[in-house]
Amino acid sequence: VPRVPVPVEAGDGATYTALLTHGEQVDVLERLDFVLRNISELRKEVEELRNSLQHLAAEIIGEVRSHLEETQKVTRRRRFPFPRERSDSTGSSSIYFTASSATANTDDGESEGGYTTANAESDYDRESERESEEGEDEVSCETVRTARRDSLDLVNEDETHLILDSLLEEGLGQLLQQADSLHNGDEQEKREGFQLLLNNKLAYADQKDFLWRLARAHSDMCEITEDADEKRSYASDGKEEIEIALQKWDQSAECHQWYAILCGQLSEHESIQKRIQTGYVFKEHIDKAIELKPEDPKSYYLLGRWCYQVSHLGWLEKKTASALFEAPPTATVQDALQNFLRVEELSPGFSKAGRVYIAKCYRDLGNNSAAVLWMNLASELPVNTKEDAESERELEEMRSVWEE
């Protein structure tokens, strides 16, 4: 205990005396010793608690993973009650102003709009599916978010990020693989793929590869439904999804590609002026997709469709474009042919419709021998999808015209 000068008598002198008595000093020391022992014990308890919480967080992550896997298995069993044959569809492709996948235009003349070429086959009530899966979706995604939030508070931050990122990446990879498989299937499988992605939107809405596939699923639904209002709704919702993705991933070829497709699908329900305006947007994003991923045959196929339809614009469309825009869209049959041939160079037999378009281009250019050759090559490809069936019908029409 420090000593301080305390005057005990009047005058110039001062003596040092203790502020605390001996007994009080002993009492203070005992209390300090007690506090130090408690601090040491508390430190040990905190360390034990931390270790326990780390172990608990690992268990929670494991349980979440098991729950997600089991949920997917149960959902899979419920949605696939019987085996299905899987087709080898080339997938959903779009053109300048259509939602059809690799679909040949069955009308060689000029339509009033000049752009729409595809008709969907069946109707689908997505609201009932959303309601049936809403509860499961919210529970699963909330569990993932809770596990992420709690584990971040309980364990080392770097370690937590590594564990959760690894877990989410593995689950995302399986999900995307399943979504691609369903996208390449028949109409019912496309519906199931759409619902599967909706069910996982909350968990993976910040993932680029998930978002453009979700937009693609909206395009699939727009393509297969027959109701005009539903078509517009699917196309509009999908366009909103892909716009969000483009804000973050402007260098993604897939994002630009599906943005162009959905813009084209949405423009089917717009005026001639809006369709022509969308044509510029469509080509801009397809060109960007080709720049970012020059070996993707799908983009060249879409550009070929755009060029072919622009080269066959009707009088009304040409006059409207000239009146509204300083430089209306221009393209020739030769431009379309070069893009379709590029598709065959990158991926021979990419689509039956692509080969039919090559035959049509050669026919328009007056090269009948080449047209017949590509008609025969198109006939060699099997009919697996609605678009293949439409292309096959167009081949028959072309043959019948030449025979006459």
Side-chain angles (χ1 to χ4, degrees), residues 147-285:
R148 176 190 287 270
R149 183 172 58 250
D150 291 347
S151 60
L152 285 173
D153 294 336
L154 301 180
V155 298
N156 179 272
E157 182 176 353
D158 294 336
E159 181 182 354
T160 301
H161 281 304
L162 291 175
I163 294 174
L164 289 179
D165 289 346
S166 176
L167 176 60
L168 291 175
E169 286 178 6
E170 182 178 351
L172 178 61
Q174 296 175 355
L175 174 66
L176 298 184
Q177 184 178 7
Q178 186 178 357
D180 289 341
S181 179
L182 293 171
H183 164 72
N184 291 327
D186 56 25
E187 290 184 3
Q188 181 58 30
E189 289 174 310
K190 283 181 169 64
R191 293 189 181 100
E192 292 167 355
F194 174 72
Q195 192 61 46
L196 175 67
L197 292 172
L198 282 183
N199 290 346
N200 289 273
K201 181 179 177 180
L202 292 178
Y204 299 108
D206 59 344
Q207 299 294 322
K208 175 192 67 176
D209 292 333
F210 177 87
L211 276 181
W212 71 255
R213 282 175 172 84
L214 179 59
R216 180 184 67 182
H218 279 85
S219 175
D220 288 344
M221 294 306 301
C222 176
E223 180 182 331
I224 65 180
T225 190
E226 293 181 345
D227 184 79
D229 291 336
E230 288 191 0
K231 282 180 174 292
R232 180 195 296 270
S233 178
Y234 282 124
S236 178
D237 292 346
K239 183 171 176 284
E240 290 178 2
E241 297 287 357
I242 204 65
E243 281 176 343
I244 295 173
L246 275 176
Q247 291 175 2
K248 297 178 63 177
W249 300 288
D250 182 63
Q251 298 303 305
S252 168
E254 290 80 7
C255 289
H256 284 282
Q257 187 181 87
W258 286 101
Y259 181 79
I261 291 171
L262 285 158
C263 284
Q265 288 178 316
L266 189 59
S267 71
E268 292 180 15
H269 310 280
E270 304 291 346
S271 63
I272 293 178
Q273 176 183 350
K274 185 66 175 179
R275 291 201 300 272
I276 294 175
Q277 184 178 4
T278 303
Y280 292 94
V281 177
F282 182 94
K283 188 174 186 301
E284 175 187 351
H285 286 275

Side-chain angles (χ1 to χ4, degrees), residues 345-368:
E345 178 184 346
L346 293 172
S347 179
F350 176 77
S351 72
K352 191 181 189 74
R355 289 186 173 182
V356 171
Y357 265 102
I358 293 177
K360 291 170 64 177
C361 288
Y362 278 121
R363 178 200 62 188
D364 295 345
L365 293 172
N367 191 340
N368 291 338

